[in-house]
Amino acid sequence: MKHQQAVFLQEMGITHWQVRKPALFKTEQTLKQLNLSACKLLVVCTEEDAKHELMDAIINAFQIKSDQVVYCSLAQFENQQGNLPTLIWSTLGEIASSPSHQLLHSPSLAELATNAVAKKVLWKQFCAYQ
């Protein structure tokens, strides 16, 4: 179930079911739930983007500590249950999210490193959040 669907059902007062035997479901093993208790920024990206040298510079510019950032894939994001942080950044294009979250969009960091206009757009999105 996608996160947006789970939020919609939760708002209607419908609780989602819990898997009692996760070993029977292979996707449950690969898509573990993320610990977002201390997370201020959730970054939905590829592994290459998470390891890109520009990522640390952007996180520092946002004035967010590295231990308050969680990186995940699109599949993990869509299958995440529970509360998400208010600030979510996607380097994979637009993703569906609840209106209560501030969603930042940008191209991949390899493209962002060479595109000054895209950097400016990302910074404006972040400043609108502040």
Side-chain angles (χ1 to χ4, degrees):
M1 176 181 300
K2 293 184 178 182
H3 177 71
Q4 185 177 10
Q5 293 169 333
V7 169
F8 182 71
L9 291 175
Q10 184 179 8
E11 289 176 359
M12 292 175 42
I14 301 171
T15 58
H16 60 277
W17 56 277
Q18 298 290 326
V19 177
R20 293 184 185 203
K21 296 181 181 179
L24 297 176
F25 301 96
K26 293 184 181 187
T27 57
E28 288 294 322
Q29 293 174 347
T30 59
L31 300 174
K32 302 238 182 217
Q33 295 295 304
L34 302 169
N35 180 7
L36 301 175
S37 59
C39 180
K40 286 192 174 182
L41 173 64
L42 178 63
V43 182
V44 183
C45 63
T46 62
E47 287 184 35
E48 292 82 21
D49 282 346
K51 295 176 184 176
H52 197 278
E53 60 190 25
L54 186 59
M55 182 62 78
D56 289 333
I58 293 172
I59 299 299
N60 287 336
F62 287 171
Q63 297 179 347
I64 298 175
K65 296 178 184 175
S66 61
D67 60 342
Q68 296 175 324
V69 179
V70 175
Y71 303 94
C72 72
S73 67
L74 183 59
Q76 284 177 308
F77 174 76
E78 289 178 340
N79 289 299
Q80 182 67 28
Q81 302 294 324
N83 295 330
L84 293 173
T86 55
L87 184 59
I88 301 169
W89 172 25
S90 169
T91 64
L92 304 174
E94 293 204 25
I95 55 176
S97 181
S98 168
S100 64
H101 297 92
Q102 175 67 26
L103 192 56
L104 310 177
H105 302 282
S106 75
S108 69
L109 291 186
E111 183 180 335
L112 193 66
T114 61
N115 189 340
V117 174
K119 287 180 192 176
K120 192 174 192 177
V121 169
L122 176 63
W123 185 250
K124 284 183 179 180
Q125 289 176 31
F126 179 74
C127 289
Y129 165 71
Q130 298 295 326

